[in-house]
Structure formats: C-alpha cells, structure tokens
Amino acid sequence: MTDDTTLETEATELLCTLIRNACVNDGTPASGHEERNADALEAYFAGSGLSCERYAAGPGRVSLITRIAGTDAKAPTLLLMGHTDVVPVNPSGWERDPFGGEVVDGIVWGRGATDMLNITSTMAVATRRLARSGFRPRGSLIYLAVADEEAGGTYGASFLTAEQYDAVKADYVITESGGVPIPARSGIKLPVTVGEKGVNWRRLVVRGTPGHGSMPFRTDNALVTAAEVVRRVATYQPRARILEEWRRYVAELELAPELEAALTDPDRVLEAAEHLEPLGFARLAHACTHTTFSPNVVQGGSKINVIPDRVTVDVDVRALPGVSPLDVDAMLREALGDLASRVEIEAPRGQEGSRTSLDTPLADAMRRVTQALVPGSKIIPRLTGGGTDARYFRWKGVPAYGFALHSQRIPYTEYPLMFHGNNERVDTESLRLSAVMWEALCRDFLG
Ligand SMILES: [Zn+2]
C-alpha cells in the first residue's frame, strides 16, 4: 500500500469508530457522552509518542488535547479543532443505519460523516502521522477533539476558551467547514469559511385577555395577535448589507456579469434571490446579505374553550457580522410595528457574528498546499449562516478558518442537505485528500 492509501484506510476506520460511538448531543447536559470518542482517539494516538490531556466540563463531556511542541517559541502555534459530538437522527429517513459506520463502494455512511467527524478523524490521522515521523516543527501543533459543539459549546469550546485558555491558546485555528470544490470556468474554487453570523434567539411573549371560547366577538385573543406577529416577523426583510467576503465569494463563482452585479447590490439582491436557482444558492445569497428571522416554535393556549391570554413565539435570528444584539431587538420592533407595545422580547441568546481575514500567513500556506494537491485550484472566502466553535477564537482576535479538502465525487450542491440531514455520508477519497492536506499544511506552515 502507498502511504496515501494507508492514510485513507486509517482515516476511514477511525471515522467509522467515531460514528459508531454515537455521541449524540440533544442539547441536554446529560447527552453527548463525548468521553467515548475521546477514549477512541486516545487509543488511536497510543504508541505514537503523543500524550493526551483530558478536559471534562461535566460528566462524560470530555474534550481531548494532544500536541507536538515547537522548537521556536516565536514561531506560530496552529490549533486543529474537530468536534466529537453529533446531532440526533430520525432513522426512518435514512437508507442505512445512521450509527452503523458502514462503508459501501467507497462511501462512509453515518451521522457525523460530514459534520464533522470526517475532519476530526483526518486531523487526528495527520497529527499521528507527523508524530510518528519524528516531526520537530518550529511552531507548535495542537490537536483538539472538542465536546458540545452542536449545542453551542457550553461544555466544550466556550468552557475551554473561558476556563482553560492556556491549554488551547494558539495563533491560528482551523475547524469546520469548507473545502468542498466548486467547479468554475477558470478552475476549482475551494471555499474557506472566514466568518459566521451571530446566533440570536428571541422569545416573543404575546399577551391577551382570557375569556370563554363560546363568545369570541371583540375579545383579546393572544393567539390571534400571535398569528399576525408571526406573519410580520416572517415577511420582515431588513435592508441588505454586502460584506466584502460575500462580494469576493460571488466574484469567484464567475457568474454572468449581470447576475454578479445584482447579487452584490444591496438594492437588488433580494429580488435577484427570489428567482435564483438552485434553491440552496438562493437561500445562501439571502442569508449572507441579510439578518434573518425564522419563527420556529409557538406555544400557548390551555383548553379548547378558553381564549388564551399568553402565547410565545420563538424566533431564530441570525445577525450579520457587525449587527449587535441591540440592533436585532430594534429590527424586531420595526418588524412588529404597531404590535410592538403588545409583545415582550426575551433574549435567551444574543451573540455577535465573527470574521477573520483570508490575508494571513496561514492562508498563504493553505493556498500553496491546496494548489499543489489540486492543480489550478484557488481558495476563496465564504460566510456561513450556521454557528461553529471558530467564533470563540475569532472573538478573542485569533484568526479561525473552516476548511478541509474534498473530492468532487459528492457534488457541492449536496453538502448543505447532509448537514444535520438524512443520509449523511462522505467518500473515502475526501478523507485521504484531507489527511494529506493537513499533514502538508503542518509541514509547510510550522516546518
Ligand atoms: Zn459541526
């Protein structure tokens, strides 16, 4: 077997193990059980000369760190960070056992195959390979298998950056997600996630006056008011903002000039997105240029013959970088209009977005390494609407990217459907490419 084939086999086996461990995080403190994947990774590193540190933020909520110390204290430290938890599944929607870790025709199936146990495993494979080769870099390499990303990092990245910062302190961070090739006329484009929106969750509490359901005329029904609240929030569109990252991303796609102009014009992007295909790209175009409001949960009413006096509507708001939690509340009041005085806004989570420049020495190294592995390719900046652990580092001013390297076997248009979706899977060639890329990047950048 060639070296690269060995890497592919190792990464595949490790990924299957991590999938089978089913570290399902449903958002409750007692879920996750990331200790199982920490154990698997520690066993995988055994005998390579790497020693592991464990950090538990709660029972079973274990994050694992191993490191290759650099020889030059002035050289940069790179942190490779992969989360070890996954989101729950609905098995009835799957063609295969979501926790079986099956490999069929070069495709690994299972929850976490793309989010993000694939990257967690390929980062581990490269780290072990480097250690076994006697790699003595100038800069330090830290590998972090982190718990609780899927519920916001309370027992993982948030805990580590707040309570154990010395353990994870680095000059650069790479985590999920990116590197799924987009074919363009001039060659392959490899997106690097450089920023994400701020997660802002709001609960709108709508009040009314209770009464008898048999006589609804001229009553003050909280549910009827809430229906109008939902309608206003769902149709509300704050003015578009064009961030430089979005402008660069669109330019790199090499679209028709008129479409590119429309998608980067705050006055025209919404209308352009209305007719854009495929639908996934339309949603991305909207999300990357707007703070978005999605009313997703409603609770209220007690009995069929009682007019309800309290209804709550939970709205998932994703704020563009630069839009503060206070701005979000102002937008909600604008959306509510004359109903604003009848609605109380509670804020269970209000976070700023985060951004990192792609003009850094690490990005230069990523550019060199990917161009060697995928001739004619180019890394390009990308924004994401979802949240990742990268934000905890960006908020501290540490450049943090989302990246990996994928083959073209699974088209880039499929990936958005697999994150938290059914039939999550990855091809083993992508595992090989990523493992090779991490190793080459560490040698280039830390060397
Ligand atoms: Zn993830």
Side-chain angles (χ1 to χ4, degrees):
M1 284 204 286
T2 67
D3 272 10
D4 287 0
T5 316
T6 313
L7 280 185
E8 183 169 326
T9 307
E10 270 187 38
T12 303
E13 284 173 1
L14 183 57
L15 171 58
C16 292
T17 301
L18 300 183
I19 290 171
R20 289 180 196 126
N21 279 337
C23 297
V24 176
N25 185 350
D26 63 14
T28 59
S31 71
H33 308 283
E34 293 91 345
E35 189 169 23
R36 293 198 286 261
N37 274 344
D39 289 346
L41 287 159
E42 187 159 8
Y44 174 71
F45 288 132
S48 63
L50 291 165
S51 55
C52 296
E53 306 150 30
R54 296 163 83 97
Y55 296 86
R61 312 310 298 265
V62 177
S63 296
L64 186 88
I65 290 177
T66 191
R67 59 184 87 230
I68 298 177
T71 56
D72 179 353
K74 290 197 203 72
T77 296
L78 173 62
L79 173 65
L80 298 180
M81 173 171 63
H83 67 77
T84 51
D85 59 328
V86 296
V87 292
V89 297
N90 178 3
S92 65
W94 284 65
E95 287 170 40
R96 297 187 178 275
D97 177 359
F99 299 108
E102 292 175 63
V103 187
V104 184
D105 187 25
I107 303 276
V108 181
W109 291 70
R111 176 57 91 217
T114 55
D115 182 12
M116 67 168 291
L117 303 178
N118 56 330
I119 305 176
T120 306
S121 69
T122 56
M123 285 173 166
V125 166
T127 302
R128 180 175 183 257
R129 161 76 67 104
L130 288 163
R132 286 170 68 120
S133 75
F135 182 53
R136 282 286 160 266
R138 287 175 46 247
S140 295
L141 171 65
I142 307 174
Y143 171 84
L144 165 60
V146 71
D148 199 33
E149 192 276 342
E150 294 293 1
T154 307
Y155 300 99
S158 174
F159 162 74
L160 289 169
T161 50
E163 310 283 336
Q164 301 283 346
Y165 194 51
D166 281 348
V168 297
K169 198 163 179 282
D171 299 293
Y172 295 92
V173 174
I174 307 182
T175 186
E176 64 186 339
S177 58
V180 177
I182 302 175
R185 267 178 293 121
S186 69
I188 295 291
K189 306 297 170 99
L190 298 170
V192 178
T193 304
V194 296
E196 61 192 53
K197 298 175 78 179
V199 181
N200 284 263
W201 290 340
R202 293 292 184 270
R203 169 161 289 181
L204 309 183
V205 183
V206 183
R207 304 278 179 191
T209 308
H212 203 291
S214 63
M215 293 190 288
F217 186 61
R218 292 175 64 182
T219 54
D220 174 24
N221 184 322
L223 182 57
V224 174
T225 308
E228 176 61 11
V229 164
V230 168
R231 193 196 65 75
R232 291 187 187 184
V233 168
T235 52
Y236 174 66
Q237 300 291 351
R239 183 173 153 74
R241 283 182 50 210
I242 307 299
L243 299 177
E244 191 49 34
E245 293 86 344
W246 173 248
R247 196 178 293 284
R248 277 174 74 179
Y249 179 80
V250 172
E252 295 289 355
L253 297 181
E254 299 167 26
L255 305 166
E258 175 51 29
L259 179 57
E260 179 184 334
L263 289 176
T264 53
D265 180 342
D267 295 324
R268 289 196 289 156
V269 61
L270 185 61
E271 201 205 330
E274 298 275 0
H275 312 288
L276 197 59
E277 294 291 338
L279 181 57
F281 185 46
R283 288 181 183 154
L284 182 76
H286 177 259
C288 287
T289 54
H290 295 78
T291 292
T292 58
F293 299 80
S294 188
N296 294 343
V297 181
V298 62
Q299 280 168 326
S302 58
K303 195 162 178 292
I304 194 164
N305 60 354
V306 177
I307 289 171
D309 61 351
R310 185 179 189 272
V311 171
T312 62
V313 179
D314 292 350
V315 187
D316 185 1
V317 185
R318 303 297 171 120
L320 284 172
V323 174
S324 73
L326 286 177
D327 297 333
V328 166
D329 290 334
M331 287 176 177
L332 273 171
R333 282 193 294 272
E334 184 181 52
L336 293 169
D338 61 359
L339 287 179
S341 61
R342 303 190 54 189
V343 177
E344 246 173 79
I345 301 176
E346 294 176 0
R349 182 174 293 184
Q351 294 179 341
E352 301 267 355
S354 64
R355 304 162 87 175
T356 286
S357 164
L358 198 54
D359 301 312
T360 62
L362 178 63
D364 292 341
M366 291 160 76
R367 206 167 279 124
R368 285 191 293 275
V369 166
T370 49
Q371 280 173 355
L373 291 171
V374 186
S377 68
K378 183 176 181 189
I379 59 171
I380 64 172
R382 162 189 187 266
L383 292 170
T384 174
T388 75
D389 284 337
R391 67 184 182 276
Y392 292 106
F393 292 89
R394 294 195 194 112
W395 286 338
K396 286 181 176 288
V398 179
Y401 300 120
F403 199 54
L405 188 56
H406 293 257
S407 79
Q408 289 191 72
R409 180 161 174 193
I410 300 176
Y412 74 98
T413 47
E414 290 256 336
Y415 276 86
L417 307 175
M418 293 195 292
F419 278 75
H420 299 195
N422 294 332
N423 297 321
E424 207 181 325
R425 62 205 184 279
V426 69
D427 60 292
T428 60
E429 189 193 346
S430 291
L431 301 177
R432 173 174 57 78
L433 281 169
S434 286
V436 169
M437 187 272 294
W438 299 128
E439 184 183 354
L441 182 66
C442 290
R443 289 189 186 282
D444 177 299
F445 184 65
L446 300 172

